[in-house]
Amino acid sequence: MKAFALVALRLLILALCVLPVLRPFVNARGTGRTPREVTLLLPPDVASNASLAARARRETQARLSLDGNSVRIETRGWGRVASHPVEDLEELGSLLANVDGTLVVVPSHGYWGPAASRFAQKVRETAAFREKRVLLLPREALGSEGEATGALDSRASFLGLSEIFLPKASFLGEESVASLEVVGRLSPGESAPVEVILRAGASLLTARTETLTADDTGLVHRTLQVPVNFVRTGTQALTATLSSPLASAPLSTATTVVTVHHGKTTLLHIGVGPDWSLRALRQKLKFWPNLDLLSYYILREASDDMSVPSSQLSLIEFPSDKLFGSELPNFHGVVAQNFFFDAYLNPVDTANLARYVQDGGRMLLQYGPLTFQARDAQIQALFPCENVPEFDAQNTYAWQEGDARVTTDVDLASSLRGLSSRATGTGCVPKKQALVLARTVEGQHPVVLAMPLGKGLVLAVLAGDWHLGGLSREADTPFERTQRLARVHATDTFFQWVVEFLQRRQDGGLRAPDLQSPRLYEDDRIVLLKARGPLRLDEAFALSFDGRVRGEAKPFLLPWLELAALRMPESVGVGSEGSPVRAFGEAPSRFVNISLRIASREDPVTRSFEWPLFPGTARSQELLANPLLFRGFETLAADKGERTKETSAKRTASRPVPLLEAYPWLLAAALGLLFLERLLVHAAGWRVLNGGLQSP
């Protein structure tokens, strides 16, 4: 009998060890018990009011203590009354992501725009939300005082614009689509007509009527897709307005920055040659999509007899008076490749070219022996070097990233490290306002420079053969051919960036970022930023309103929301002293001309546009609670019976969990039985031999 007991014991131990392998997960139910420890998160308007904070604590205690257990509540505030709403959401998001246990959140008003949309998206990714540890205590639980604290009736019907979004680039003559996120509250199933109006500055772009319908809970959440055709190029502010009795300013208005490009880009390519470098660059530009190229070769060398007129040496006379006169503004970019400006342009032409760049034109200086030979002061102002670089056609130079990164694109960064050149300009001393985008590995010579000049930009590539991709050199071995393919890929990637620069679609890191806040207020000091390239946190930006600089500040990151913002030393739009503040619900007090520039640039590149400016602050004017902010949160119901039926079922719902997590005693039982079996064998000396039990 004892032999059978020992064998059964060993089989049981084996079964306990194998069971987690055969069935690793089981459907386990929650205990349905009320949590013993709860963190109560209060918004700034409640945390600063002692009576409201005490009422919130009592309500939480009463609504959670349903099974007779006491609840220990720790009260913590999120946000401050004097802070900007985006800072509140950043703090609340960090608490929800990092605080353990059950969390009870009291909502508040004034949280709209990109920060609110990002919060609503990221909070659903937190473990607390997925594990249903986040509960919502409605404002109604705080009584009439809690509902009326700085906010309108949260149950009133309304419509508002939370955010407006367009693609990073739009094109003139091509239809773009503006996405408008409309949020509101109506009666369940109710429909309301609304007119959507889009303006760019003072220009009316489009208007259309939409019908919005609430769901079964009365929530209105719809993204309207509104086609729009822009009437001019450049950076401009696009303002959307909801026209409806249910939509009141400022929430009826949202503004964003959009850059409109020409659908087809026209480039002027001039050079002295021809040579293989000139022909190769022309071929690349000629076959680039959406690009019209006008290319002129100057066949005469600088050492030729200049007394002979050009009409006797070429089939087509170089039309400098026309190209650099009336036709110059029609080009979106100018490529000057190994061009001797003094020999082929008169003073009027050089003045026109300098003015073209100052007014917003793009210019590419493709280096050659003649590039920096000009002595005209207006042409020298276009050069990013203080001196004349030396032309080195004997040594090969490998490239690497320079002092200023212009994009977060990993491919571009790696392409710079994959480039090399043999016809290279060395010894360049960059001007103060020039940015060094690439240097040579040997000697650290600047090889790619970008220089803002007025509203335009000059890009200089101090290498004459970079675009050949190493094809001018022989590749006999498989390794050399592999290296050639890598150089060709690097060349194509960098060439694409250069073309986008000329098309005015790529200037990340060279210009200041754009504003991202859908609404601006006179007394706010924080604005959200969006950049088309990397945002350097160590670089200060200057924000100007109607020509008045509001000070300089460096951007800072909101790490949980993954947003960038700028905190100005004074309010962004303070008007003249004693200016009246309009009441909530009226039109914006005024339109202001805004420009954001890099503060360290002596010759700043500015992009200015008209933006509606509202009085007060976002916290004092956006007096409606965003119903999407805490959508999906479990609500603490007032009725205990309702609470028991609705939420206890959720807490006891089945969910798959690891077997050893659901039943940790299985492992303890296996170890205990193993200890018992060893004790019987070694201490008592039991043996199982030939089916029998022996003991000494």
Side-chain angles (χ1 to χ4, degrees):
M1 190 65 183
K2 292 182 180 180
F4 289 111
L6 186 59
V7 172
L9 180 62
R10 290 177 175 177
L11 291 176
L12 181 59
I13 295 173
L14 181 62
L16 291 176
C17 294
V18 175
L19 184 60
V21 179
L22 298 178
R23 191 173 183 182
F25 293 94
V26 295
N27 289 329
R29 289 184 173 270
T31 62
R33 297 181 59 87
T34 302
R36 297 292 182 89
E37 297 184 1
V38 174
T39 303
L40 178 60
L41 304 178
L42 301 178
D45 60 313
V46 176
S48 60
N49 189 316
S51 63
L52 287 179
R55 180 67 182 272
R57 187 183 182 91
R58 289 195 302 270
E59 286 293 326
T60 303
Q61 178 80 38
R63 299 186 182 204
L64 282 177
S65 301
L66 298 178
D67 54 2
N69 296 329
S70 61
V71 178
R72 188 175 66 184
I73 300 178
E74 178 188 358
T75 302
R76 301 180 65 171
W78 55 277
R80 298 174 300 278
V81 175
S83 64
H84 193 276
V86 299
E87 297 176 291
D88 295 354
L89 293 179
E90 171 69 19
E91 185 174 353
L92 177 59
S94 299
L95 290 174
L96 295 177
N98 299 313
V99 176
D100 297 328
T102 301
L103 304 170
V104 177
V105 181
V106 178
S108 187
H109 67 279
Y111 301 104
W112 296 82
S117 300
R118 187 68 61 86
F119 175 87
Q121 173 188 353
K122 288 183 65 66
V123 75
R124 284 158 176 76
E125 301 172 0
T126 61
F129 183 85
R130 294 195 305 267
E131 297 169 4
K132 300 185 182 300
R133 293 190 286 107
V134 185
L135 307 174
L136 195 66
L137 180 65
R139 298 286 296 209
E140 294 81 357
L142 307 183
S144 58
E145 182 184 4
E147 288 191 79
T149 305
L152 299 180
D153 186 358
S154 60
R155 292 163 295 187
S157 297
F158 75 93
L159 295 173
L161 272 175
S162 181
E163 191 176 3
I164 178 173
F165 170 78
L166 269 86
K168 292 183 178 180
S170 298
F171 301 96
L172 190 67
E174 299 181 13
E175 186 177 83
S176 300
V177 177
S179 299
L180 310 178
E181 185 182 27
V182 181
V183 180
R185 181 179 290 107
L186 301 173
S187 299
E190 181 184 359
S191 298
V194 61
E195 185 181 16
V196 182
I197 303 172
L198 292 180
R199 291 186 175 89
S203 302
L204 175 64
L205 298 181
T206 186
R208 60 185 299 175
T209 301
E210 296 282 349
T211 300
L212 304 176
T213 304
D215 60 16
D216 295 339
T217 64
L219 174 66
V220 177
H221 181 215
R222 183 176 168 188
T223 300
L224 302 179
Q225 305 292 338
V226 182
V228 57
N229 289 280
F230 292 94
V231 297
R232 61 185 178 89
T233 60
T235 302
Q236 48 201 286
L238 178 67
T239 300
T241 304
L242 289 182
S243 179
S244 169
L246 299 175
S248 301
L251 287 178
S252 61
T253 301
T255 304
T256 188
V257 176
V258 61
T259 302
V260 182
H261 305 287
H262 289 276
K264 202 167 186 69
T265 305
T266 303
L267 295 182
L268 173 62
H269 177 213
I270 54 176
V272 174
D275 57 17
W276 286 111
S277 175
L278 190 70
R279 292 179 178 179
L281 184 60
R282 178 183 179 276
Q283 286 296 104
K284 282 180 172 290
L285 293 172
K286 179 180 179 181
F287 293 103
W288 194 263
N290 295 327
L291 197 66
D292 284 336
L293 181 66
L294 185 60
S295 182
Y296 281 90
Y297 295 174
I298 306 298
L299 301 179
R300 176 184 293 186
E301 299 288 349
S303 58
D304 292 340
D305 185 1
M306 295 298 175
S307 62
V308 181
S310 299
S311 58
Q312 299 181 20
L313 294 176
S314 60
L315 298 177
I316 302 176
E317 184 178 0
F318 182 58
S320 59
D321 294 341
K322 187 175 182 181
L323 290 178
F324 294 91
S326 59
E327 296 296 329
L328 186 58
N330 297 327
F331 296 107
H332 304 126
V334 175
V335 180
Q337 184 175 5
N338 190 29
F339 192 77
F340 193 2
F341 292 91
D342 286 358
Y344 307 111
L345 300 183
N346 58 46
V348 176
D349 297 336
T350 58
N352 291 337
L353 180 59
R355 190 181 308 110
Y356 165 81
V357 176
Q358 289 277 352
D359 292 342
R362 300 286 177 98
M363 186 172 182
L364 170 64
L365 292 174
Q366 174 68 26
Y367 183 71
L370 305 177
T371 301
F372 288 91
Q373 300 301 320
R375 294 294 176 263
D376 187 283
Q378 297 184 89
I379 296 299
Q380 288 184 342
L382 302 177
F383 296 156
C385 300
E386 296 281 4
N387 59 334
V388 178
E390 298 182 4
F391 184 75
D392 186 351
Q394 302 299 323
N395 301 307
T396 300
Y397 293 89
W399 292 15
Q400 63 183 1
E401 290 180 85
D403 308 331
R405 293 189 61 190
V406 296
T407 182
T408 55
D409 187 356
V410 178
D411 291 338
L412 178 60
S414 62
S415 71
L416 290 175
R417 295 189 293 268
L419 292 175
S420 62
S421 57
R422 190 166 184 177
T424 311
T426 61
C428 168
V429 179
K431 292 182 178 178
K432 185 177 181 180
Q433 65 270 33
L435 300 175
V436 179
L437 309 184
R439 292 182 179 271
T440 61
V441 176
E442 300 81 7
Q444 295 293 306
H445 302 293
V447 70
V448 180
L449 301 96
M451 185 178 68
L453 198 63
K455 296 182 179 180
L457 290 168
V458 176
L459 181 68
V461 182
L462 305 186
D465 60 345
W466 67 269
H467 55 289
L468 301 180
L471 298 177
S472 59
R473 283 167 275 178
E474 294 183 357
D476 298 326
T477 66
F479 177 72
E480 291 176 345
R481 286 192 288 270
T482 302
Q483 283 188 317
R484 171 182 287 183
L485 290 176
R487 285 193 294 267
V488 170
H489 176 71
T491 299
D492 291 341
T493 303
F494 182 64
F495 179 77
Q496 179 179 349
W497 185 90
V498 171
V499 173
E500 290 177 350
F501 169 86
L502 292 170
Q503 293 176 320
R504 311 185 188 192
R505 304 179 189 181
Q506 178 61 261
D507 56 16
L510 307 180
R511 292 187 184 273
D514 293 326
L515 301 182
Q516 192 176 6
S517 302
R519 285 167 289 273
L520 293 182
Y521 297 89
E522 288 183 348
D523 297 333
D524 276 338
R525 295 173 56 187
I526 288 181
V527 293
L528 293 178
L529 303 176
K530 62 178 179 179
R532 287 182 284 177
L535 185 63
R536 295 181 57 181
L537 300 180
D538 59 343
E539 192 164 34
F541 299 100
L543 185 66
S544 299
F545 276 65
D546 289 335
R548 178 189 171 190
V549 178
R550 301 303 181 192
E552 300 177 0
K554 295 180 180 180
F556 66 94
L557 290 179
L558 300 164
W560 191 83
L561 291 173
E562 299 178 346
L563 293 174
L566 195 67
R567 189 193 308 274
M568 303 307 298
E570 64 172 309
S571 301
V572 296
V574 175
S576 58
E577 188 172 353
S579 61
V581 177
R582 293 177 178 266
F584 175 80
E586 296 188 14
S589 56
R590 55 193 169 103
F591 281 83
V592 295
N593 193 286
I594 299 177
S595 62
L596 186 64
R597 65 177 177 85
I598 300 177
S600 60
R601 305 282 174 83
E602 288 185 355
D603 195 0
V605 179
T606 60
R607 291 183 288 192
S608 59
F609 33 84
E610 285 191 340
W611 198 291
L613 185 68
F614 293 90
T617 64
R619 189 182 299 280
S620 66
Q621 296 297 299
E622 298 182 1
L623 298 177
L624 291 170
N626 189 339
L628 288 182
L629 200 62
F630 302 103
R631 188 181 186 184
F633 281 38
E634 181 181 336
T635 302
L636 283 175
D639 181 75
K640 293 186 178 181
E642 181 183 350
R643 162 71 179 169
T644 302
K645 294 177 182 179
E646 293 183 1
T647 62
S648 295
K650 295 180 181 179
R651 291 182 175 276
T652 59
S654 297
R655 61 188 180 95
V657 296
L659 178 67
L660 294 181
E661 179 181 328
Y663 305 103
W665 55 266
L666 290 176
L667 182 60
L671 294 176
L673 293 176
L674 180 62
F675 174 77
L676 177 61
E677 189 270 344
R678 292 290 88 189
L679 183 66
L680 293 174
V681 172
H682 292 284
W686 292 6
R687 297 288 188 274
V688 178
L689 297 175
N690 300 322
L693 176 67
Q694 291 186 356
S695 60

